[in-house]
Amino acid sequence: MAAAAETGPRRVGFVGAGRMAEAIAQGLIRAGKVEAQYVLASAPTDRNLCHFRALGCRTTHSNHEVLQSCSLVIFATKPHVLPAVLAEVAPVVTTEHILVSVAAGVPLSTMEELLPPGARVLRVSPNLPCVVQEGAMVLARGRHAGNSEAELLQTLLEACGQCEEVPEAQVDTHTGLSGSGVAFVCAFSEALAEGAIKMGMPSGLAYRIAAQTLLGTAKMLLQKGQHPAQLRTDVCTPGGTTIYGLHALEQGGLRAAAMSAVEAATRRAKEMRKWRG
């Protein structure tokens, strides 16, 4: 592989310009990690590229141009499209490139098979709250990506939320816990609000308070480093309202249902990986 030419400020490329790509780009730019003028995004049509232009980024319809202009390239295509895209750009991949996939279900081994020997590849599993820079992300590195590549990517992605390195085997679990978990939490938030609506609270107010309750609780858990059981105990007083409510949740099987939901989503992620691999 020939060396790619990149001098001056770091340039970040996006192959695929959907909502997740836009969220990551927005986080990088807002946090000052990368200047908008040094971000280049490609997509087959202008439908999503307009969002990148609104951020001040450059756009193109050529995937090759992204690889030729940027050493750090994030592939944010649909999972079933990624193998064909990797095969397309393989001839212009160089020893200087760091190639990152956010496509679910496409393993590092598949990426390495489709790219030149020694290509430095990593996988990132993001979730939708990256849109508001509160994402929960994990990354896994390929055989030829070292500490410097992983640390660089982690530092950049922390502009979009929390990012931790894990073995690739845990990426599917993250998908079930955090990727799909956004929907699980929304279902719970909706149910909390509907309980208040049933008791006479206006719906708009109920939904706002439910969302704020989730936000505040999450911040306390993260900032204090507490186990959820400890915070639950702090809220629960003998004979009080909370223990009565918790009893009702236990009768409804909340814990078992939540555990089963994460298990089912994780198993599905593994099935999709095998199918695509």
Side-chain angles (χ1 to χ4, degrees):
M1 294 186 288
E6 180 179 322
T7 58
R10 176 167 298 282
R11 300 172 188 273
V12 177
F14 289 86
V15 175
R19 193 172 187 188
M20 191 58 67
E22 180 192 353
I24 294 173
Q26 186 171 275
L28 295 177
I29 293 166
R30 284 183 174 177
K33 303 280 188 179
V34 182
E35 292 184 41
Q37 62 183 316
Y38 297 120
V39 174
L40 175 62
S42 66
T45 69
D46 285 335
R47 187 181 66 177
N48 292 325
L49 291 177
C50 61
H51 301 300
F52 275 80
R53 294 190 193 113
L55 292 172
C57 305
R58 296 162 49 232
T59 62
T60 178
H61 295 303
S62 169
N63 295 335
H64 278 208
E65 184 180 348
V66 175
L67 273 289
Q68 290 164 344
S69 302
C70 307
S71 63
L72 176 62
V73 180
I74 298 174
F75 291 86
T77 67
K78 297 292 186 183
H80 69 278
V81 173
L82 182 59
V85 170
L86 292 176
E88 174 202 346
V89 302
V92 294
V93 170
T94 75
T95 55
E96 299 301 315
H97 281 115
I98 300 173
L99 307 176
V100 182
S101 167
V102 298
V106 181
L108 290 165
S109 58
T110 297
M111 296 176 64
E112 291 174 337
E113 288 171 7
L114 293 168
L115 294 168
R120 297 181 292 172
V121 299
L122 302 99
R123 280 184 68 188
V124 172
S125 177
N127 70 347
L128 194 56
C130 286
V131 172
V132 291
Q133 285 74 61
E134 291 292 351
M137 298 161 282
V138 296
L139 68 87
R141 66 174 87 171
R143 291 179 298 161
H144 307 290
N147 290 336
S148 60
E149 290 83 9
E151 289 169 5
L152 169 64
L153 184 59
Q154 189 170 9
T155 298
L156 289 174
L157 290 179
E158 283 174 351
C160 304
Q162 177 179 305
C163 182
E164 299 190 30
E165 184 175 0
V166 299
E168 188 179 20
Q170 294 179 15
V171 171
D172 290 332
T173 305
H174 177 270
T175 300
L177 171 62
S178 189
S180 300
V182 172
F184 306 156
V185 171
C186 284
F188 181 63
S189 179
E190 185 180 18
L192 282 179
E194 287 177 345
I197 293 168
K198 180 180 179 181
M199 301 310 295
M201 182 177 284
S203 60
L205 178 60
Y207 286 119
R208 289 195 301 273
I209 290 178
Q212 184 63 38
T213 300
L214 295 179
L215 174 63
T217 304
K219 283 191 171 182
M220 288 185 71
L221 290 172
L222 288 172
Q223 292 177 6
K224 293 190 174 184
Q226 287 181 305
H227 190 283
Q230 180 60 56
L231 182 53
R232 173 176 54 79
T233 301
D234 292 344
V235 177
C236 194
T237 56
T241 60
T242 305
I243 191 61
Y244 274 74
L246 285 171
H247 187 197
L249 289 177
E250 292 293 344
Q251 288 178 317
L254 175 70
R255 290 172 186 259
M259 291 171 68
S260 294
V262 174
E263 180 182 8
T266 301
R267 289 186 182 279
R268 180 55 180 160
K270 293 181 185 295
E271 290 170 1
M272 294 172 69
R273 170 169 53 83
K274 290 177 182 177
W275 176 66
R276 289 178 183 129

